[in-house]
Amino acid sequence: MSENLLDGFRSHEHWLREALREAELAAAGGEVPVGAVVVRDGQILGRGRNQVEQLQDATAHAEILALGAASDRAQSWRLDGATLYVTLEPCTMCAGALLLARIQTLVFGAVDPRAGAVVSCARLLQGNPYRHAVEVVGGILAPQCSELLQSFFQRRRRDG
Amino acid sequence: MSENLLDGFRSHEHWLREALREAELAAAGGEVPVGAVVVRDGQILGRGRNQVEQLQDATAHAEILALGAASDRAQSWRLDGATLYVTLEPCTMCAGALLLARIQTLVFGAVDPRAGAVVSCARLLQGNPYRHAVEVVGGILAPQCSELLQSFFQRRRRDG
């Protein structure tokens, strides 16, 4: 593996750790622990964590809130050149949202065999209606990302 | 056509006219004219119109804003039994959102050959990962809904 590629992965891990922090905050709030950050030019433009229960809004996924925060900061709905880091493979809604926001790169942690719409249940970023190419990197810090989800659901089953 | 079916169509037209009003407000604000309402038990739970430019948020589609408003009103992210009326066939993001919100019925006006994800470019509500069945009714007031869009884009090309 070349030095550049290694640097790339280290950088991906760095930002995905920030997304993991958001996921931990979600878990602490009793939400399914998924977190996201939008990064451009080496800085975080927006953060988001799953807040479906807290906001009682089915669309309050980590990615949607991170995209909203990033657009606020950038004062533009066009996030060209930005990378979205998220701990879990995006669902149908979120895959569509990152196409609309013109996200350049998607980096996710764990796959979602139940509802993932990027590599698992569907591949909605490929051959999408917007003809907008999104580079996809999956599996970064996957064990940590899925462990957080697994222990959340185990706890919920135990306490439920 | 039975009386019941006729009543159903008249009722769909009634609510879709409310969505059209929202679309007209969007047009007046310089937005691509798409409007939506969420209806349950014979009343409007939430309204939304495309506000991508005004809010500078790529996710600010009519459907997403109507779902958010309806969830606020219902104080729940679960909109079981509700119908979403929208003037244009939903995109990938919005199709995913109405699955997440457990919308029972989708009624739309015009098809969207460019990015529609219900019957045109994809059929994301069929065989979806959530195994949530959504009844789909398309083509209600389609000429009015598409005319509004066409004249908007004609005006924009002329003035642009």
Side-chain angles (χ1 to χ4, degrees), chain B residues 105-119:
Chain B
T105 307
L106 163 69
V107 180
F108 67 87
V111 292
D112 181 358
R114 198 185 68 87
V118 176
V119 296

Side-chain angles (χ1 to χ4, degrees), chain A residues 20 23-24 27 33 87-88 109-111 141-155 157:
Chain A
L20 260 171
E24 282 158 7
T87 57
L88 185 67
V111 292
L141 298 182
Q144 291 91 322
C145 293
S146 64
E147 208 284 314
L148 194 63
L149 282 157
Q150 279 164 12
S151 58
F152 173 83
F153 284 113
Q154 274 164 12
R155 216 162 42 235
R157 275 194 296 272

Side-chain angles (χ1 to χ4, degrees), chain B residues 1-159:
Chain B
M1 193 180 287
S2 76
E3 270 309 298
N4 272 354
L5 254 177
L6 256 181
D7 281 354
F9 275 99
R10 278 181 198 133
S11 159
H12 285 337
E13 284 195 9
H14 171 78
W15 297 119
L16 206 50
R17 278 186 214 286
E18 293 290 332
L20 260 170
R21 273 200 207 185
E22 291 295 317
E24 282 158 7
L25 288 173
E31 304 273 355
V32 175
V34 181
V37 292
V38 174
V39 173
R40 190 163 60 185
D41 299 331
Q43 60 177 338
I44 292 178
L45 276 184
R47 297 173 164 274
R49 58 183 194 273
N50 178 35
Q51 290 187 282
V52 167
E53 298 299 336
Q54 195 184 339
L55 301 177
Q56 284 299 308
D57 184 340
T59 72
H61 280 194
E63 298 94 314
I64 300 289
L65 298 176
L67 289 172
S71 291
D72 274 357
R73 175 90 181 270
Q75 297 187 291
S76 173
W77 61 261
R78 296 173 187 82
L79 297 172
D80 307 81
T83 298
L84 183 116
Y85 291 87
V86 57
T87 56
L88 185 67
E89 180 188 355
C91 71
T92 300
M93 172 182 72
C94 293
L98 64 90
L99 286 169
L100 291 169
R102 302 190 184 168
I103 287 288
Q104 181 176 306
T105 307
L106 163 69
V107 180
F108 67 87
V111 292
D112 181 358
R114 198 185 68 87
V118 176
V119 296
S120 296
C121 300
R123 300 188 168 211
L124 298 184
L125 300 183
Q126 290 180 12
N128 66 74
Y130 308 98
R131 302 183 188 189
H132 171 64
V134 180
E135 190 191 1
V136 177
V137 180
I140 305 288
L141 299 183
Q144 292 91 322
C145 292
S146 64
E147 207 284 313
L148 195 61
L149 282 156
Q150 279 165 13
S151 58
F152 174 82
F153 285 113
Q154 274 166 11
R155 216 162 42 234
R156 198 157 79 168
R157 274 193 298 272
R158 198 191 56 210
D159 301 343

Side-chain angles (χ1 to χ4, degrees), chain A:
Chain A
M1 196 180 285
S2 77
E3 271 308 300
N4 271 355
L5 254 178
L6 256 181
D7 282 355
F9 275 99
R10 280 183 196 129
S11 158
H12 284 338
E13 284 194 9
H14 170 77
W15 297 119
L16 206 49
R17 278 186 213 287
E18 293 289 333
L20 260 171
R21 273 201 209 186
E22 291 296 317
E24 282 158 7
L25 288 173
E31 302 274 356
V32 175
V34 180
V37 292
V38 174
V39 173
R40 189 163 61 187
D41 300 331
Q43 59 178 338
I44 292 178
L45 276 185
R47 295 173 166 274
R49 59 182 192 275
N50 179 33
Q51 290 188 280
V52 168
E53 298 299 338
Q54 196 184 337
L55 301 178
Q56 283 300 310
D57 183 341
T59 73
H61 280 194
E63 299 94 315
I64 300 291
L65 299 176
L67 290 171
S71 290
D72 273 357
R73 175 89 181 272
Q75 299 187 291
S76 173
W77 61 261
R78 296 173 188 83
L79 297 172
D80 305 83
T83 298
L84 183 116
Y85 291 87
V86 57
T87 57
L88 185 67
E89 180 188 354
C91 72
T92 300
M93 172 182 71
C94 293
L98 63 90
L99 287 169
L100 291 170
R102 301 190 185 169
I103 287 288
Q104 181 176 305
T105 308
L106 163 69
V107 180
F108 68 86
V111 292
D112 182 358
R114 198 184 69 87
V118 176
V119 296
S120 296
C121 300
R123 301 189 166 211
L124 297 183
L125 300 183
Q126 289 180 14
N128 67 74
Y130 308 99
R131 301 183 191 190
H132 170 64
V134 180
E135 190 191 359
V136 177
V137 181
I140 304 288
L141 298 182
Q144 291 91 322
C145 293
S146 64
E147 208 284 314
L148 194 63
L149 282 157
Q150 279 164 12
S151 58
F152 173 83
F153 284 113
Q154 274 164 12
R155 216 162 42 235
R156 198 158 77 168
R157 275 194 296 272
R158 199 190 55 210
D159 302 343

